[in-house]
Amino acid sequence: MTLTKDQFIRDFKDTLHEEQLIKVPQATPAELFATLAKVIRKYYTPMWLDRNRNLTENKEKIAYYFSIEFLPGRMLETNLLNLGILDLVKEGFAELDIDFEEVKNTEHDMALGNGGLGRLAAAFMDSLATTGYPGFGNGLRYRYGLFKQKIIDGYQVELPDDWFGTLGNVWEIRKDHDAVEVRLFGDVYLEMNEEGNLTPNYHNSQVLRAVPYDVPQIGFQNDVVNNLRLWDVEIPEEYEADYPTVASRRAIEDITAILYPDDSTLEGKQLRLIQEYFMTSAGLQTIIQNYLKQGLPLEAIYEKVSVHINDTHPAVAPAEFMRLLVDEYGLEWDSAWTATVKTMSYTNHTILSEALEKWDAELFKKVLPRVYQIILEIDNRFVADLGRAGYDADVVNYTRIVKDDQIHMANLAIIAGHSVNGVAKLHTELLKEDTLRSFYRLYPEKFNNKTNGIVQRRWTQIAAPELSGAIDQVIGTGWRKDIHELEGLTTYLDDKEVLDNFYQVKQDAKGRLASYIKETTGFDVSTDAIFDVQVKRLHAYKRQLLNVLHIIKLYLDLKDNPDKDMIPRVFIFGAKAAPGYHFAKSVIKIINELAKLINNDDSLQGKLKVFFLENYNVSLAELIIPAADVSEQISLASKEASGTSNMKFMMTGAITLATLDGANIEIKDEVGDDNIVIFGMDKDAVYAHYQANDYHSRDLYESDATIHRVVDSFVNGTIPNIQSEGMEIYEALIQHNDEYFLLEDFHSYVQAQEKVDALYRDKDKWARMSLNNIAKSHKFTSDDTISQYAEEIWELKK
Ligand SMILES: *Cc1c(COP(=O)(O)O)cnc(C)c1O
């Protein structure tokens, strides 16, 4: 868009005056933010209208990305950058004497996600708009998102994340006219209608109103605005009288209150199922309605519509789609089925079996009686087909949807869709040869890989402006539009001046993080130390505990020998634990107590510092990641499907310290063995242990003095205030045989850390490695990942 600074200043002042009846000096940062958002909205609204009109007129095929999570973080800077007016607005603000940073920081993170899954979904929204493909998001408008993490006395405490604040979501638009009804519970009877078809009759069901709120997704300087549609729940007017009490109304509001309600109770499970169905049904209803407005035949809907199932949460989609096509629109089963399979596609995000959703059949039948019948029908036909094709009972039993009174949602998504993809090369291979191997035998053509990616604009231009400036100086600004130009940096790997400059940029970012640490914890840290960072959800397979074991070893070494020759280290953690995940919360407590012990011990001479930064989210990631020297990606090989923070760190010049897992392998392939530090068992070694059943952590503990000493410090008082948590960790490692092989990988990890120490001593070498990582990181742009989805799975046109 074209805009001058003067015009912007006029628009801004006028809006502030009209909307808030004040002038700039009286306005609070929040008022300034709200006003700026309104001005920006005026700028992009015409593009948004044009986009929708063009898509309708040209009858373009549209992909709909269904996801229970979206984790965009703050939108202000992204929107400005993508409109091409970020610098102009900053200059305008400077002229008005407004502190842009302060205004920016009043925006609450849009945190409708938990971690990588939601961040990926948000990245895809940005990249779909940027590449110009018609791809829209479909999710839930949670009132409180995940939770806000506070650390109190070392423990994680979960508070509601009131992200609407007093302003609400300044970017969304309520679309009342697109509201639909969603039906739950009750009884359903099939009756013959006048045309002689069986149609369902519902009794005593609950009818809810689903109201969409659309959030614009602005492409990078291309005038494209796509849509992220988030559904909220309301009580339909005609049923108001059914909800006479506050409690009965609140039960409805709960459907969109929080992400991942506690599912340890039956009610909690039911609530999650309702959430998943609610957003899926509402989304599919409007998709079909919009398609039919084009006057095209319903059985050919797959020519204009793709529905993508991101992880299993929206996997009820094929069954609901069948219900709509057959019951509501009268299609024959067979043509509805063909249309469904061609419309649906599915991304698997994990090989951990506990994350492949299964629903108790009784619960499912109670909440979604008609969808349940349809799933049974799909399952029956599937089993009959396999029988006719001569498959043995093993394959049938492994792949069918309904078994042992449970509904296997991944199986439904695979059978009723045309594409199944993993999210990194290794992950897709594991799906084919292990987790989903029977499906791979049945449908080899459905399987494909789409390695995850990141929005480079957010992690460089927004999160790391100094780095971006340094890149401009060396290769010009073309990379800001075409990230593959970063490769040009490889020409300067031996240019001392360039290396020094990038080194300095990293030091500056470390300085900013050091100030934040000082503000939030009171401790000083030196930017001469190695900033060693592990930020991600807390999970046993990600092995934050292995990092802790190493820190304990360093601590014990320093207590034995205060003059130990080592580059000072600052270990930085950020992680939320699922509220019901006891082990993960114990690890958080231990990190905090260990940090307290270490940070207050003057005998360590500042060689060791540990920080757990609370409430890890996208905005905090934007501060932390550009400041990292070392990127900890230390999951047990085979367990991390892809990872995306590994890519963000790489792009901002950290050296990856990693196992051969997920996308770490592809990072290594890009940068070469000399520019990454790899350790530990690979996937084959891990699987060999599973095969031979020959891992005994207690033997390692008994025979290895270092391991023994480190592990004992959880239970012998070395770390204070962790009696029960320390015991829990000890038991996990020794009594329960160390499920994620920490002790086996321990020495290899320690050696890798020693290698990091040695490498960092050679400043030029380190800077060269770092620049190499930045130069090669363009491989992981989500713009390319989404183009592959669009072309290979959804068959979209730009
Ligand atoms: C990128 C990102 C993640 C994903 O991190 P992984 O290390 O890949 O698991 C999680 N949370 C936030 C806030 C992120 O930005």
Side-chain angles (χ1 to χ4, degrees):
M1 62 175 292
T2 50
L3 180 72
T4 64
K5 187 178 67 187
D6 291 341
Q7 183 63 44
F8 165 70
I9 290 175
R10 262 197 308 278
D11 293 343
F12 186 81
K13 281 182 169 168
D14 289 351
T15 309
L16 186 64
H17 201 100
E18 284 158 23
E19 304 271 345
Q20 316 270 8
L21 306 175
I22 46 174
K23 298 219 162 99
V24 172
Q26 291 117 38
T28 66
E31 285 168 330
L32 294 170
F33 168 71
T35 305
L36 180 55
K38 287 209 179 82
V39 174
I40 299 170
R41 262 170 87 147
K42 268 189 224 145
Y43 294 157
Y44 64 65
T45 299
M47 298 177 202
W48 204 0
L49 289 168
D50 275 355
R51 172 69 163 171
N52 287 329
R53 192 177 318 115
N54 286 337
L55 290 177
T56 312
E57 272 171 14
N58 301 331
K59 303 192 175 174
E60 297 286 359
K61 183 171 187 182
I62 301 177
Y64 297 89
Y65 194 84
F66 280 44
S67 180
I68 199 90
E69 296 187 28
F70 286 92
L71 188 55
R74 289 183 180 137
M75 298 299 294
L76 175 66
E77 267 181 299
T78 296
N79 286 347
L80 289 172
L81 179 78
N82 288 3
L83 288 170
I85 56 174
L86 178 59
D87 290 338
L88 181 149
V89 165
K90 283 183 176 172
E91 287 159 21
F93 266 27
E95 206 166 302
L96 292 167
D97 211 12
I98 304 172
D99 182 348
F100 181 81
E101 285 297 303
E102 194 183 16
V103 171
K104 174 192 103 181
N105 289 336
T106 60
E107 181 176 9
H108 287 272
D109 269 41
M110 195 171 167
L112 311 183
N114 174 21
L117 183 80
R119 186 52 224 157
L120 184 78
F124 283 174
M125 290 300 107
D126 187 315
S127 285
L128 277 165
T130 294
T131 51
Y133 286 109
F136 293 0
N138 189 79
L140 283 176
R141 181 176 179 265
Y142 305 101
R143 177 67 187 79
Y144 296 104
L146 193 65
F147 61 85
K148 189 159 126 193
Q149 180 193 55
K150 272 248 163 238
I151 301 297
I152 296 178
D153 193 23
Y155 292 104
Q156 165 175 298
V157 175
E158 296 112 29
L159 302 175
D161 177 20
D162 183 17
W163 73 285
F164 283 138
T166 47
L167 296 178
N169 179 4
V170 296
W171 310 113
E172 70 185 11
I173 293 192
R174 181 183 162 99
K175 293 277 177 70
D176 225 29
H177 53 278
D178 278 345
V180 293
E181 289 189 341
V182 174
R183 189 186 295 272
L184 307 167
F185 301 107
D187 303 306
V188 54
Y189 305 99
L190 294 181
E191 281 162 21
M192 203 71 83
N193 68 5
E194 283 145 31
E195 288 104 55
N197 296 323
L198 283 177
T199 55
N201 248 302
Y202 295 90
H203 295 269
N204 305 319
S205 44
Q206 179 181 45
V207 179
L208 299 172
R209 185 170 140 89
V211 185
Y213 289 74
D214 288 352
V215 185
Q217 304 296 308
I218 301 171
F220 182 70
Q221 298 175 15
N222 63 355
D223 294 354
V224 169
V225 181
N226 284 341
N227 217 16
L228 167 58
R229 174 157 281 194
L230 301 174
W231 293 95
D232 203 354
V233 66
E234 288 177 8
I235 295 164
E237 234 171 69
E238 64 263 46
Y239 298 102
E240 289 272 0
D242 295 350
Y243 302 89
T245 64
V246 172
S248 61
R249 301 184 71 89
R250 191 162 301 148
I252 301 304
E253 286 164 15
D254 275 351
I255 294 173
T256 52
I258 60 168
L259 171 66
Y260 299 138
D262 175 15
D263 66 348
S264 59
T265 63
L266 193 62
E267 282 115 74
K269 285 194 179 69
Q270 177 172 307
L271 183 56
R272 282 202 194 190
L273 178 59
I274 291 173
Q275 287 188 327
E276 295 178 2
Y277 179 70
F278 183 78
M279 73 160 203
T280 305
S281 176
L284 291 176
Q285 288 185 55
T286 45
I287 288 167
I288 294 174
Q289 284 170 11
N290 283 336
Y291 169 76
L292 288 175
K293 280 185 203 148
Q294 301 181 12
L296 297 168
L298 195 49
E299 55 271 24
I301 187 169
Y302 58 88
E303 289 177 5
K304 299 294 177 192
V305 168
S306 277
V307 171
H308 198 79
I309 300 166
N310 187 37
D311 212 345
T312 49
H313 315 101
V316 69
E320 173 65 3
F321 202 57
M322 285 296 289
R323 185 189 73 78
L324 291 166
L325 296 184
V326 173
D327 288 355
E328 306 288 327
Y329 291 98
L331 245 55
E332 297 292 336
W333 181 279
D334 287 338
S335 59
W337 180 250
T338 305
T340 299
V341 172
K342 289 185 170 178
T343 302
M344 301 284 155
S345 49
Y346 159 62
T347 298
N348 174 290
H349 284 272
T350 178
I351 64 160
L352 303 182
S353 59
E354 68 259 30
L356 293 175
E357 279 183 306
K358 302 177 229 4
W359 291 110
D360 177 48
E362 278 308 307
L363 172 68
F364 201 99
K365 188 175 164 189
K366 177 180 138 202
V367 179
L368 307 171
R370 180 60 183 150
V371 181
Y372 178 71
Q373 292 175 346
I374 287 176
I375 288 179
L376 287 185
E377 182 67 24
I378 295 172
D379 187 55
N380 282 336
R381 288 173 184 242
F382 173 72
V383 171
D385 283 350
L386 288 196
R388 268 193 299 276
Y391 283 98
D392 55 42
D394 269 3
V395 174
V396 175
N397 194 46
Y398 184 87
T399 53
R400 67 180 302 173
I401 302 160
V402 187
K403 60 193 168 197
D404 309 327
D405 294 322
Q406 293 200 303
I407 304 181
H408 294 248
M409 301 309 286
N411 297 12
L412 175 60
I414 298 167
I415 292 165
H418 66 281
S419 171
V420 183
N421 73 282
V423 291
K425 281 182 192 158
L426 175 69
H427 172 61
T428 302
E429 287 313 307
L430 285 169
L431 291 180
K432 290 188 199 170
E433 68 191 39
D434 185 30
T435 319
L436 303 176
R437 63 181 177 280
S438 292
F439 283 115
Y440 184 55
R441 270 180 63 199
L442 289 181
Y443 312 119
E445 72 288 352
K446 290 190 185 184
F447 283 75
N448 62 93
N449 178 58
K450 300 281 172 283
T451 299
N452 284 167
I454 58 171
V455 179
Q456 68 271 16
R457 294 168 288 280
R458 181 175 287 266
W459 301 103
T460 56
Q461 299 184 57
I462 291 173
E466 298 90 347
L467 174 65
S468 303
I471 298 171
D472 289 346
Q473 276 180 29
V474 182
I475 56 168
T477 56
W479 68 278
R480 289 174 181 257
K481 190 155 180 65
D482 176 10
I483 192 70
H484 299 297
E485 291 189 12
L486 279 185
E487 187 79 31
L489 291 171
T490 52
T491 318
Y492 300 89
L493 289 173
D494 297 308
D495 185 324
K496 175 95 171 92
E497 202 182 318
V498 168
L499 293 181
D500 284 348
N501 197 26
F502 277 90
Y503 193 89
Q504 194 49 49
V505 161
K506 178 63 84 180
Q507 290 305 106
D508 293 346
K510 286 164 76 173
R512 268 192 290 146
L513 180 56
S515 312
Y516 181 81
I517 290 174
K518 174 80 179 168
E519 261 167 51
T520 50
T521 72
F523 286 98
D524 288 306
V525 294
S526 161
T527 55
D528 291 334
I530 298 174
F531 279 28
D532 186 323
V533 182
Q534 187 171 22
V535 285
K536 47 186 74 245
R537 282 177 309 116
L538 214 139
H539 203 292
Y541 84 81
K542 292 180 182 274
R543 302 202 297 188
Q544 280 93 351
L545 192 56
L546 179 59
N547 193 339
V548 170
L549 294 178
H550 171 243
I551 297 171
I552 294 173
K553 178 182 182 298
L554 283 181
Y555 170 73
L556 295 173
D557 287 353
L558 281 168
K559 293 307 275 184
D560 289 349
N561 173 19
D563 296 327
K564 177 183 159 87
D565 178 26
M566 64 174 277
I567 308 270
R569 283 273 180 138
V570 179
F571 290 95
I572 294 158
F573 293 89
K576 287 180 182 175
Y581 191 177
H582 201 272
F583 172 89
K585 292 173 122 174
S586 293
V587 173
I588 290 179
K589 169 72 171 168
I590 286 171
I591 294 172
N592 281 308
E593 292 300 335
L594 184 62
K596 198 159 129 197
L597 174 72
I598 288 174
N599 297 344
N600 290 299
D601 187 338
D602 290 338
S603 78
L604 305 177
Q605 305 169 31
K607 285 181 181 166
L608 203 53
K609 287 273 184 281
V610 181
F611 298 100
F612 186 98
L613 301 181
E614 72 184 6
N615 203 37
Y616 181 59
N617 60 14
V618 175
S619 288
L620 194 53
E622 289 170 16
L623 176 68
I624 295 175
I625 290 175
D629 294 308
V630 176
S631 158
E632 297 266 1
Q633 308 298 337
I634 62 178
S635 53
L636 176 67
S638 78
K639 300 296 184 228
E640 185 72 89
S642 163
T644 50
S645 80
N646 45 4
M647 302 165 183
K648 302 167 196 165
F649 282 105
M650 175 197 194
M651 188 168 278
T652 47
I655 306 303
T656 310
L657 170 56
T659 49
L660 289 174
D661 200 14
N664 302 342
I665 297 172
E666 288 157 72
I667 291 178
K668 172 177 154 299
D669 291 345
E670 290 305 312
V671 299
D673 295 344
D674 291 343
N675 296 301
I676 189 167
V677 181
I678 296 292
F679 76 97
M681 287 187 280
D682 64 7
K683 163 239 153 195
D684 289 337
V686 172
Y687 273 57
H689 275 313
Y690 292 150
Q691 200 81 49
N693 200 15
D694 62 352
Y695 182 67
H696 306 290
S697 64
R698 186 181 288 278
D699 293 350
L700 288 170
Y701 171 68
E702 301 292 358
S703 65
D704 185 311
T706 309
I707 288 179
H708 201 107
R709 191 171 173 214
V710 168
V711 171
D712 277 358
S713 39
F714 291 114
V715 286
N716 65 9
T718 303
I719 309 168
N721 306 320
I722 56 157
Q723 278 73 8
S724 66
E725 295 82 15
M727 187 51 91
E728 183 179 359
I729 299 303
Y730 181 89
E731 283 173 1
L733 291 175
I734 309 302
Q735 261 96 321
H736 301 141
N737 202 27
D738 183 17
E739 190 181 350
Y740 295 101
F741 302 94
L742 278 66
L743 301 189
E744 170 128 355
D745 273 351
F746 176 75
H747 284 294
S748 167
Y749 180 57
V750 169
Q751 280 160 19
Q753 284 286 22
E754 283 163 359
K755 185 171 173 190
V756 166
D757 180 282
L759 287 167
Y760 197 79
R761 287 165 197 253
D762 185 343
K763 190 178 135 184
D764 290 341
K765 182 160 186 190
W766 187 273
R768 192 179 192 281
M769 290 173 72
S770 172
L771 188 59
N772 211 309
N773 272 271
I774 298 168
K776 298 291 182 182
S777 65
H778 62 91
K779 181 75 196 271
F780 299 101
T781 168
S782 52
D783 296 349
D784 287 356
T785 310
I786 210 64
S787 299
Q788 291 164 17
Y789 276 85
E791 284 156 28
E792 295 163 22
I793 300 178
W794 307 325
E795 300 181 346
L796 301 182
K797 288 206 308 267
K798 280 199 189 183

